[in-house]
Amino acid sequence: QRAMHAPARKAAGGGGRGPVASALLLLAVGVFAFLISYSVLAMVLRGGGNGGGGTTGVGTGARDPVVRMPEWMRAAGGARGQRRPFHVALTATDAPYSRWQCRVMYFWYKRMQARPEGADMGGFTRVLHSGKPDGLMDEIPTFVVSPLPAGKDRGYIVLNRPWAFVQWLQQAKIEEEYILMAEPDHIFVKPLPNLAFDNDPAAFPFFYITPSEHEKIIRKYYPEERGPITNVDPIGNSPVIIKKTLLEKIAPTWMNVSLQMKEDQETDKAFGWVLEMYAYAVASALHGVQHILRKDFMIQPPFDKKLDNTFIIHFTYGCDYTLKGVLTYGKIGEWRFDKRSYQDRPPPRNLTLPPPGVPESVVRLAANKLENYATSLL
């Protein structure tokens, strides 16, 4: 009987080893387990091993975290310091109102492109949709395209914009991989880098483009089965930096949706002069494209008062002030700058500077270094 229970006693007593030996054995096992865990953890943090996809060496100064960064962010980080040029394109007519704005815009494009930080600012094209050359052909790089057939724009000349881009993209040789869609009433105030990342274009969010507030209308062109209304960005086509290959897909849809919206009385009434902007946002969503929204892309005086770190001033609104610097929006001020005052001629060579108290954005717009200096060439 004692012999029968001997193995059990041996197992329980460690084969004759005393308490000290057992404690030492447990300690050794614990230390060994710690060393294995530390080695595995260190290898992961260094990006070692191929199982997680990271192959970055320790000496490179870069590593993947346990949760891998998105591919677009990885590419953007790797692209720092590399030139990613975009082609600047704006649509225009041969009317005096359009011509003087294009000259000012092109002047400041060249100024900012010439700076060291302007490396991403590539070529420039004025896409002229009047159907025939005009007097600026030798001054501004221009590509002439056809306007819509007579009566097709229904008096809304902006409908020519998507049609102009369709023709330009199909017929012109564009070397840059990216395109900045701009407008004549944009003034560059500092060099613009490429804000897009691969297939993620960059756009300015407009406070007055509100797809969610017009969901019933938007659903006529972007049905529920295509996705939530939030897929439609609060943007227009300009300013937008986008890959040329993406724009080549979006532009024909943008044109067709614009025409459909204009033909629909409910849509036309609801969207008015921003109809073509909504059409671009819808067309992008139909192609599964959403934009990086950059509020620093541009400012719109007089509502945006500070320059901050913006790249573009959009002078679409009239700026009217009393001589005490009080805004009189909707009423002609004692001091004013409104592009619509110059429908048939350029602004004067020496605009009067704004009175004290006017926001810096308006001062910058009218200052000698900007509007006055450029229009002195006209």
Side-chain angles (χ1 to χ4, degrees):
Q1 187 176 6
R2 283 194 297 272
M4 187 187 315
H5 291 287
R9 289 197 301 272
K10 184 176 180 181
R17 287 189 294 267
V20 174
S22 298
L24 289 173
L25 178 61
L26 291 174
L27 179 62
V29 170
V31 170
F32 183 72
F34 169 79
L35 291 174
I36 291 177
S37 301
Y38 177 82
S39 298
V40 172
L41 179 61
M43 182 176 66
V44 171
L45 290 177
R46 293 190 193 104
N50 295 326
T55 58
T56 307
V58 176
T60 62
R63 61 178 173 81
D64 289 342
V66 176
V67 179
R68 297 189 60 174
M69 70 174 66
E71 288 301 322
W72 70 266
M73 190 178 294
R74 183 192 311 276
R80 286 174 185 168
Q82 298 180 9
R83 185 169 180 261
R84 297 187 304 132
F86 53 82
H87 193 100
V88 181
L90 67 154
T91 58
T93 72
D94 59 359
Y97 178 65
S98 178
R99 286 204 306 268
W100 72 257
Q101 292 181 54
C102 287
R103 297 186 77 185
V104 172
M105 199 274 193
Y106 184 56
F107 177 90
W108 290 106
Y109 151 80
K110 291 192 297 182
R111 268 295 182 88
M112 297 304 155
Q113 184 199 41
R115 294 185 181 181
E117 315 95 287
D120 284 347
M121 300 176 75
F124 186 103
T125 299
R126 179 182 64 132
V127 184
L128 182 64
H129 55 76
S130 300
K132 59 184 185 299
D134 68 356
L136 293 182
M137 303 295 291
D138 294 332
E139 180 180 337
I140 303 175
T142 300
F143 191 90
V144 179
V145 297
S146 300
L148 287 168
K152 195 67 176 177
D153 63 9
R154 297 173 178 261
Y156 180 54
I157 196 171
V158 184
L159 278 186
N160 284 280
R161 181 176 294 155
W163 173 224
F165 270 108
V166 168
Q167 296 174 81
W168 177 64
L169 290 165
Q170 290 177 346
Q171 301 170 20
K173 182 180 179 181
I174 308 162
E175 296 182 356
E176 293 85 355
E177 186 180 7
Y178 293 86
I179 292 170
L180 164 65
M181 292 187 285
E183 295 183 18
D185 59 356
H186 288 175
I187 288 181
F188 290 104
V189 291
K190 72 176 185 178
L192 176 65
N194 191 338
L195 303 177
F197 293 113
D198 197 31
N199 288 324
D200 295 306
F204 176 78
F206 290 89
F207 69 88
Y208 48 80
I209 303 296
T210 54
S212 59
E213 294 181 11
H214 298 283
E215 181 167 4
K216 179 184 174 183
I217 294 176
I218 294 291
R219 289 303 186 186
K220 292 182 179 184
Y221 315 95
Y222 187 75
E224 290 188 15
E225 57 266 26
R226 300 304 295 264
I229 201 70
T230 51
N231 286 352
V232 181
D233 291 327
I235 62 172
N237 84 289
S238 175
V240 166
I241 300 178
I242 186 171
K243 248 187 176 178
K244 180 173 58 179
T245 52
L246 283 181
L247 187 56
E248 287 171 341
K249 296 175 182 178
I250 293 172
T253 308
W254 171 29
M255 179 188 70
N256 291 331
V257 172
S258 296
L259 294 172
Q260 292 169 14
M261 286 183 169
K262 189 62 180 175
E263 291 170 358
D264 184 82
Q265 291 185 358
E266 182 184 20
T267 306
D268 190 20
K269 182 179 179 180
F271 292 163
W273 65 275
V274 296
L275 179 148
E276 165 268 338
M277 298 172 69
Y278 273 102
Y280 175 80
V282 168
S284 298
L286 288 170
H287 285 276
V289 175
Q290 289 191 280
H291 298 67
I292 302 167
L293 303 181
R294 296 289 300 251
K295 289 186 176 181
D296 61 340
F297 214 144
M298 73 177 188
I299 58 171
Q300 301 184 100
F303 301 110
D304 295 318
K305 296 179 173 55
K306 294 185 177 296
L307 287 173
D308 293 325
N309 292 317
T310 196
F311 301 98
I312 294 171
I313 291 179
H314 184 207
F315 57 97
T316 188
Y317 296 109
C319 299
D320 289 273
Y321 290 88
T322 68
L323 294 180
K324 295 183 178 180
V326 178
L327 179 66
T328 62
Y329 190 73
K331 179 183 177 182
I332 295 178
E334 296 172 284
W335 181 92
R336 75 182 322 236
F337 176 77
D338 188 339
K339 65 178 184 178
R340 295 164 191 82
S341 301
Y342 308 101
Q343 296 278 350
D344 57 353
R345 66 192 189 285
R349 292 175 180 270
N350 295 299
L351 291 173
T352 304
L353 289 176
V358 170
E360 66 172 334
S361 61
V362 179
V363 173
R364 185 70 183 270
L365 174 62
N368 288 341
K369 291 183 179 179
L370 285 175
E371 199 74 31
N372 289 11
Y373 192 4
T375 54
S376 69
L377 301 175
L378 304 179

